[in-house]
Amino acid sequence: MKRVFIIMLLSVLLAGNLTAADKQFSLRSPDGKIVVNIAVGEKIEYSVATSGKEIIASSPLSLTVNDKVLGINAKIKKSKTITVDEMVSPVVRTKCAAIRNHYNELTLTFAGQFGIQFRAFNEGVAYRFTTSYPEKIRINGEEAVINFAGDYKIWFPEEEKFQSHNERLYKYLPIREIASPSFCSTPALVDAGADLKVAISESDLEDYAGLWLQGTGKNSLKGIFPGYPLEVKQRNDRDVPVTQFADYIADTKGTREFPWRIMAFARNDGELITNQLVYLLSKPSQIEDTSWIKPGKVAWDWWNFNNIYSVDFRAGVNTETYKYYIDFAAANGLEYVVLDEGWYKLGNLLDIVPEIDMEELVSYAREKKVGLILWVVWKTLDDQLEAAMNQFEKWGIKGIKVDFMQRDDQWMVNYYYKIAREAAKRKMMVDFHGAYKPSGLNRAYPNVMTSEGVKGLENSKWGYDITPGHDVTIPFIRMWAGPMDFTPGAMLNATKSDFKPVFNIPMSQGTRCHQLAMYVVYESPVQMLSDNPTHYNREAECLGFISGVPTVWDETRVFEAKIGNYLLLARKSGQKWFLGGMTDWEPREFTIDFSFLDEGKTYSAEIFQDGINADRNANDYKKVVKQVKKGDKISVKLAPGGGWVAKLQ
């Protein structure tokens, strides 16, 4: 790994009586297009411009520690700027096999045992506080204000309270129309006009509360944070709301680095798909041996309500049904089967329902070389952590799906880290559901493969929210923060007029190829097949494509992209290319130029496209096989709610 540092000492041991001019600092991105200006006076304020245009106007920041505001009349002791240019090889290759980590960093050290680091990347900016107290400290509050320089709009995932699974629709609103107390979870995405977008979130969130954004009734947003939970009330096995929050954010170590506040800049919508700032700003892997971490696809039982048919056994949560899932997974090269809700008696992970013989199942799965993943409620797991995890390890369980946390206060954030560590000790992977957004944990603990925190396909069982327009919004916002467990794969597909929510036999909005494309477009190193094996076995061509799509990638290229409207991209795995396109309810046509292919090589392209009648019957598709080579061009036609996929080898 090549790592280059260029260090420039701007000022060392500065005198306390600096002039106003001496308290101005500027930091540029490596390409010079983004400029962060920092002013240290009565307040510490920053602003950001790109290509000569101010986007974020002067905005104050401060941290209140032990009732003292760090950032008011601050005295600079030292400043230092470095340049870092290195290649990062992710343990789990969500977007690509190598990421360039190239930034300029300014560190300001202040009297009063604190500092602030600013980083400017070509893809955006970030800052964080640091402290160096010898004893534990209390964080009473954090001022994280973003004043925008124009009358911008935002995709705003509005929330009602801090107790939330963060599965929201994105309201497209003028920022100035969002007044307190309205607030949203993160990430959120700002439309700054002229094709410029600013994605806002955080990274390296540990031992602290998560960032949310509140409106001010002006062209600005301010960060808000859930207080430390002083009291919770358990209503049932999974519903454990906080009934009393403290008036402080966190009690924490006195010497530490705080979470990064990120503003990622995208000059076209496609750059949001390839932006990796959340990952790069996280801690590197804390797991020494990662060889056992195996991405893959998962046969999932819950969405399809175990409605297997044309079999000689009673389908349901029982040994016979899960052996059927294991057989299905083994026959189609799927790495895992998940046992979702129902395998244990709620409230006791060690009390398995009598319909399931776990010893028989784990033995059968081992024989078939299929890993098992167990769904658990977070509170029950916490209450029985050592005994349950030891039992799972004894069985040879490959992963756990932890559900219903629905909080990101300091205590709960630390819970995520605890589960990641305990799972890693036992060589288990983790999928967090009922979860807050990814904030870098998947880099620090790469056994954390994916998480929910997205309004996913399960919602189609009871509502109308999972539209094709929603499907082509979430890759640009939620997926920017990290892998998302949307759970695609519906084999019953409906047009806008034909769709209706059916809990036991669910369907999806949009075409069959729209669902197939999700396996290329959506990033989740463990990716679910949500429908039941009976449906997949009836759809052998589609199953063959899905089972052959990797879940990690060496390279990603975006061809066409517009938030909420369409997305067309290509991903490479080894010598194969996979292409996927999706649209909202508007039919669209694109031309793909294969100039990115290797010179002199002819590829066999297996293409799935919307059928000629897909606008009437969303299940309609056509499979085409043709030869393509570098420089060829083909037309891609998408039906309303449509999709398009291709495998090139």
Side-chain angles (χ1 to χ4, degrees), residues 335-600:
E335 290 80 1
Y336 304 104
V337 169
V338 65
L339 277 66
D340 212 291
E341 183 170 8
W343 70 268
Y344 70 90
K345 295 180 181 178
L346 295 177
N348 187 352
L349 288 164
L350 303 176
D351 192 359
I352 304 167
V353 297
E355 295 83 4
I356 288 181
D357 185 330
M358 188 62 76
E359 296 289 349
E360 181 179 353
L361 271 185
V362 297
S363 176
Y364 192 75
R366 189 181 305 115
E367 177 187 332
K368 296 284 186 173
K369 294 182 172 53
V370 173
L372 296 184
I373 296 172
L374 298 180
W375 173 91
V376 298
V377 170
W378 77 270
K379 183 63 168 67
T380 310
L381 179 63
D382 194 44
D383 291 342
Q384 300 179 296
L385 186 59
E386 191 75 13
M389 293 295 279
N390 288 344
Q391 180 63 68
F392 298 168
E393 182 181 23
K394 182 179 177 182
W395 284 333
I397 298 302
K398 301 302 182 183
I400 53 175
K401 178 180 175 181
V402 189
D403 206 350
F404 289 105
M405 292 76 67
Q406 301 183 170
R407 291 161 35 199
D408 67 351
D409 50 67
Q410 183 194 17
W411 189 96
M412 186 57 78
V413 167
N414 289 344
Y415 175 81
Y416 278 61
Y417 277 82
K418 177 170 69 174
I419 297 305
R421 287 192 298 267
E422 292 299 320
K425 287 178 188 176
R426 298 165 175 86
K427 296 186 177 181
M428 292 182 202
M429 299 179 297
V430 183
D431 175 1
F432 285 115
H433 265 233
Y436 61 83
K437 82 280 180 182
S439 305
L441 179 59
N442 59 308
R443 184 182 182 191
Y445 287 90
N447 62 317
V448 177
M449 304 296 282
T450 190
S451 62
E452 199 177 26
V454 63
K455 201 170 188 67
L457 188 68
E458 67 178 20
N459 287 265
S460 63
K461 289 165 68 76
W462 53 77
Y464 291 84
D465 289 340
I466 310 304
T467 65
H470 174 74
D471 297 341
V472 290
T473 298
I474 54 177
F476 299 94
I477 307 176
R478 165 58 184 81
M479 197 172 79
W480 165 73
M484 61 180 192
D485 197 11
F486 178 87
T487 66
M491 291 291 107
L492 300 178
N493 315 111
T495 63
K496 189 174 185 179
S497 59
D498 290 342
F499 176 81
K500 60 180 179 180
V502 181
F503 191 88
N504 293 354
I505 308 177
M507 65 185 77
S508 69
Q509 298 185 58
T511 70
R512 171 69 54 77
C513 289
H514 188 85
Q515 287 289 309
L516 297 184
M518 291 177 180
Y519 287 90
V520 179
V521 172
Y522 289 175
E523 296 164 1
S524 183
V526 290
Q527 183 67 278
M528 302 290 166
L529 274 69
S530 64
D531 219 323
N532 83 60
T534 309
H535 290 166
Y536 288 123
N537 286 331
R538 291 190 318 173
E539 302 287 352
E541 285 186 333
C542 295
L543 174 60
F545 178 82
I546 292 172
S547 63
V549 179
T551 62
V552 290
W553 304 100
D554 296 325
E555 185 179 346
T556 296
R557 294 172 179 249
V558 180
F559 302 133
E560 304 282 351
K562 187 176 181 182
I563 299 166
N565 296 120
Y566 53 83
L567 178 57
L568 178 63
L569 54 72
R571 300 191 193 268
K572 190 178 185 183
S573 175
Q575 298 304 308
K576 298 178 183 178
W577 283 96
F578 292 79
L579 287 73
M582 301 167 64
T583 183
D584 57 9
W585 284 124
E586 290 297 317
R588 302 187 191 278
E589 185 170 351
F590 300 106
T591 298
I592 293 181
D593 184 341
F594 286 101
S595 58
F596 63 92
L597 295 177
D598 292 340
E599 189 73 55

Side-chain angles (χ1 to χ4, degrees), residues 212-229:
W212 306 58
L213 296 172
Q214 188 174 65
T216 65
K218 303 174 183 177
N219 287 319
S220 66
L221 299 167
K222 68 175 183 179
I224 59 173
F225 306 85
Y228 189 85

Side-chain angles (χ1 to χ4, degrees), residues 14-42:
L14 297 178
N17 297 319
L18 292 173
T19 65
D22 290 329
K23 297 182 182 180
Q24 306 294 318
F25 300 87
S26 184
L27 183 69
R28 288 184 176 270
S29 59
D31 64 6
K33 293 182 180 179
I34 297 177
V35 181
V36 185
N37 292 307
I38 302 101
V40 181
E42 182 180 341

